[in-house]
Amino acid sequence: MGRSGVRGERSRPSGRGGSTARAGDLGWDESLYEGPGSGGDTPPGPDGRRPAQGHRHKGPRAKRRGFRILRWAAGTLAVLVLATAGAGYLWYRHLNSNIKTDKLNIGEHKAPAPTPNAAGQTPLNILLIGSDSRNSKENLKLGGSKESVGAAPLADVQMLLHLSADRTNMSVVSMPRDTLAQLPKCTDPKTGKVYEATTTRQMVNTSLGRGGPGCTVATWEEITGIHIDHFMMVDFSGVVSMADAVGGVPVCVDANVYSRNSLGEGSGLKLRKGTTSVKGEQALAWLRTRHGFEDGSDIARAKAQHMYMSSMVRELRKNATFTHPNKLRTLAEKATDALHVDDDLHTVKKLYDLSNELKKPEPDRITMTTMPFVYVGARVAPKANDADALWRLIREDVSLDGKDKDKKKAKDEVSDDPAAPDDKIAVQVSNGTRTATTAAVPGRASQVAQALVAEGFTKSVPDQTQSLAEDKTVLRYPSSDLEGDAQAVAKSLGIPLSSVKKSTDVSGVTLIVGADWKTGSAYPKSGAPDLV
């Protein structure tokens, strides 16, 4: 059986009598990310081979690739709006009725929203989900047996789209579907059924079956500590219906493909080397194919699915013109019918406003990567330190293209607001030492609160109700008249004034002891490592 990859990189022996290649030519390019976990130290998988590593592309062609994945979101949304223009209120209402919605986060805990920058702007985080649901006749055609009807759907494609607060750059991070993690407690908003938090690690794609996409959002927030603003979900039949509406989607492979092994396993996809426009059953087979690409893994299949989506949206954008009104009407119908979004994106206008935000970054400021991972048997897990570092960059709104390095860091500035006497300043201390891979250090809030009392801040109390996840220690205050008080607290413990931030998420001076300060009563002079 010959194995193929998406055209764009050199073939190499697979060890199984065929050839493999890397994704790249039509939209999947992890090599644009130069951050943690991108080196060649990933341990081999269960078959003794290391997962393929992307080559670096530094020219204009490579930069264009990163932009293409965005078109799955921004381009599709633009099509929706173009399709409604001039069609009248009833048609607009009809398209709105097509859009399926669900609650954003159905978990027990939610990651804190980011603090606005000096201009009052905040980042935008959108979770893109591809469901493998077989609970319809259309989706059953994707594969699987009749016995799979009624089974819980799986979130087999998961990508976080992070748009910077100033809208100058965007990062897209993919998490492999078979990533192992403990799943949070979720409550199904429709039935009230409670899914308790798992005590063992489970595949993250099973989160979708624990009450819906809101549990997948909760899982991401639990793993990453990143606040998610929206989700957008499509199933494969929805993607294919849009592809058929535009007349097919071009895909490209560097060798002949036949996805069927000696045991008869595989989607049966047959393609000749080069570019082919796929639709109908052939498009379904492309989305299902695993055995025909690279090493036959789910990670290779995910790359093919992403490439298909980005290529599909290119076709959507190309056909979204008023010179083809009938095709435009069909596209609008199919696209709105395919989307499943959070409750706040329930109208075409909301989707249009979001698409305008997503189109603001220049193509060369859009970066793609996959969560750094290690193999755990046949599955994967977040790579310690490297995955945490990536999540931290996103939480702190640092671009992954490295172009923020040239920005000068704001200097510590002493507030003009006079501080109250130390013994009159009320301080709440929270334990934020928990990370995606480690539990919170017990008793840290109490220890630091006691240190503040010893410094004269006698109204300092620990918050015993929850443990947070904060990479760097931070002092938050809600209004300008408390800025001086917060800075006085920071000075007493040696915390830099750059870590004192205004935030409406707190009601008073609040000290969150981060993972950079796990021991001792004085803030470590070195602080957390600087990754930017």
Side-chain angles (χ1 to χ4, degrees):
M1 177 188 69
R3 294 187 180 278
S4 178
V6 181
R7 190 172 187 176
E9 297 195 24
R10 203 177 306 172
S11 298
R12 63 181 182 188
S14 68
R16 299 186 184 180
S19 65
T20 66
R22 294 289 305 165
D25 212 26
L26 288 180
W28 180 262
D29 186 9
E30 298 180 14
S31 63
L32 296 177
Y33 173 54
E34 299 183 9
S38 61
D41 57 347
T42 306
D47 61 357
R49 289 184 295 163
R50 295 179 183 273
Q53 299 291 329
H55 297 293
R56 309 192 84 74
H57 301 277
K58 298 183 179 179
R61 182 182 179 189
K63 292 179 180 178
R64 289 196 300 270
R65 293 173 184 162
F67 189 54
R68 289 168 180 163
I69 193 69
L70 170 64
R71 295 178 178 175
W72 179 44
T76 300
L77 300 181
V79 166
L80 306 184
V81 182
L82 288 171
T84 64
Y89 181 63
L90 290 178
W91 177 238
Y92 176 78
R93 282 182 54 188
H94 168 70
L95 292 180
N96 284 344
S97 68
N98 280 349
I99 302 170
K100 297 171 285 295
T101 65
D102 227 321
K103 189 174 179 180
L104 175 63
N105 186 324
I106 60 174
E108 192 172 24
H109 302 293
K110 297 173 178 61
T115 303
N117 62 15
Q121 302 165 308
T122 55
L124 188 63
N125 295 306
I126 305 170
L127 187 62
L128 309 178
I129 305 170
S131 166
D132 82 334
S133 171
R134 302 294 198 272
N135 295 331
S136 69
K137 291 181 179 179
E138 292 80 8
N139 282 325
L140 189 58
K141 292 179 181 178
L142 287 168
S145 61
K146 293 182 179 179
E147 288 74 19
S148 64
V149 175
L154 299 172
D156 276 359
V157 177
Q158 300 177 40
M159 294 184 290
L160 179 68
L161 189 155
H162 171 82
L163 181 63
S164 66
D166 61 8
R167 304 301 191 252
T168 62
N169 65 88
M170 181 181 294
S171 303
V172 180
V173 182
S174 180
M175 184 183 293
R177 53 162 257 165
D178 54 356
T179 298
L180 296 174
Q182 288 183 293
L183 305 182
K185 179 180 179 180
C186 292
T187 303
D188 190 321
K190 295 184 177 67
T191 66
K193 181 177 179 179
V194 176
Y195 296 84
E196 296 295 338
T198 64
T199 56
T200 59
R201 294 190 298 180
Q202 308 291 325
M203 286 173 57
V204 294
N205 67 343
T206 62
S207 61
L208 185 59
R210 292 165 55 85
C215 193
T216 303
V217 170
T219 300
W220 269 77
E221 292 201 0
E222 183 82 10
I223 293 172
T224 68
I226 297 169
H227 173 78
I228 293 175
D229 300 282
H230 300 291
F231 74 77
M232 296 178 62
M233 182 172 74
V234 294
D235 58 27
F236 291 146
S237 67
V239 174
V240 170
S241 69
M242 288 190 288
D244 286 354
V246 298
V249 172
V251 295
C252 187
V253 293
D254 65 354
N256 294 339
V257 172
Y258 179 49
S259 179
R260 190 81 75 189
N261 64 15
S262 59
L263 299 177
E265 299 170 329
S267 69
L269 176 69
K270 288 185 178 181
L271 288 177
R272 291 186 178 277
K273 176 181 177 180
T275 300
T276 304
S277 181
V278 298
K279 60 185 296 188
E281 294 298 321
Q282 196 173 34
L284 296 174
W286 175 277
L287 291 171
R288 291 180 52 222
T289 291
R290 181 181 64 193
H291 297 287
F293 298 129
E294 296 186 0
D295 60 357
S297 69
D298 284 324
I299 293 173
R301 175 166 60 181
K303 294 177 185 178
Q305 292 168 353
H306 295 159
M307 187 267 272
Y308 176 92
M309 290 177 183
S310 63
S311 183
M312 177 197 69
V313 174
R314 274 203 310 280
E315 294 302 303
L316 284 170
R317 290 175 67 91
K318 184 171 70 176
N319 285 277
T321 67
F322 290 104
T323 57
H324 301 90
N326 290 333
K327 181 173 287 189
L328 197 57
R329 182 185 179 93
T330 301
L331 286 175
E333 185 77 37
K334 297 294 185 182
T336 52
D337 191 54
L339 284 174
H340 189 148
V341 297
D342 62 274
D343 291 335
D344 195 44
L345 294 177
H346 62 287
T347 67
V348 170
K349 184 181 184 304
K350 290 270 191 176
L351 293 169
Y352 174 65
D353 291 342
L354 178 61
S355 73
N356 280 336
E357 293 298 299
L358 296 176
K359 290 186 287 186
K360 288 180 179 180
E362 294 296 325
D364 64 352
R365 294 300 311 278
I366 298 173
T367 310
M368 295 170 47
T369 188
T370 295
M371 175 195 78
F373 63 86
V374 294
Y375 277 99
V376 180
R379 311 301 180 194
V380 300
K383 187 176 182 180
N385 299 324
D386 288 349
D388 285 341
L390 175 59
W391 306 139
R392 174 186 163 188
L393 291 174
I394 294 174
R395 287 196 300 271
E396 296 186 357
D397 198 24
V398 178
S399 68
L400 299 187
D401 61 9
K403 294 184 179 179
D404 283 346
K405 290 179 180 179
D406 297 331
K407 292 182 179 180
K408 294 182 179 179
K409 296 182 180 179
K411 295 181 179 179
D412 292 350
E413 296 182 358
V414 178
S415 172
D416 294 332
D417 174 54
D422 293 352
D423 62 352
K424 301 298 183 182
I425 299 176
V427 185
Q428 178 173 282
V429 184
S430 298
N431 187 346
T433 57
R434 176 169 57 86
T435 71
T437 56
T438 62
V441 177
R444 282 304 287 155
S446 296
Q447 293 166 11
V448 176
Q450 291 170 9
L452 278 171
V453 170
E455 291 288 333
F457 295 86
T458 54
K459 289 190 175 182
S460 300
V461 295
D463 179 6
Q464 307 285 14
T465 62
Q466 61 180 336
S467 66
L468 305 175
E470 201 76 53
D471 283 321
K472 294 181 66 176
T473 297
V474 62
L475 259 161
R476 296 192 173 111
Y477 62 95
S479 56
S480 298
D481 61 333
L482 292 176
E483 184 179 17
D485 293 357
Q487 288 194 354
V489 174
K491 291 176 184 177
S492 71
L493 297 174
I495 299 171
L497 296 187
S498 59
S499 295
V500 179
K501 301 181 182 297
K502 186 177 180 180
S503 172
T504 56
D505 291 333
V506 296
S507 56
V509 177
T510 303
L511 170 59
I512 303 176
V513 183
D516 60 341
W517 188 13
K518 293 185 176 182
T519 60
S521 58
Y523 186 73
K525 291 183 179 180
S526 59
D530 190 359
L531 298 180
V532 298

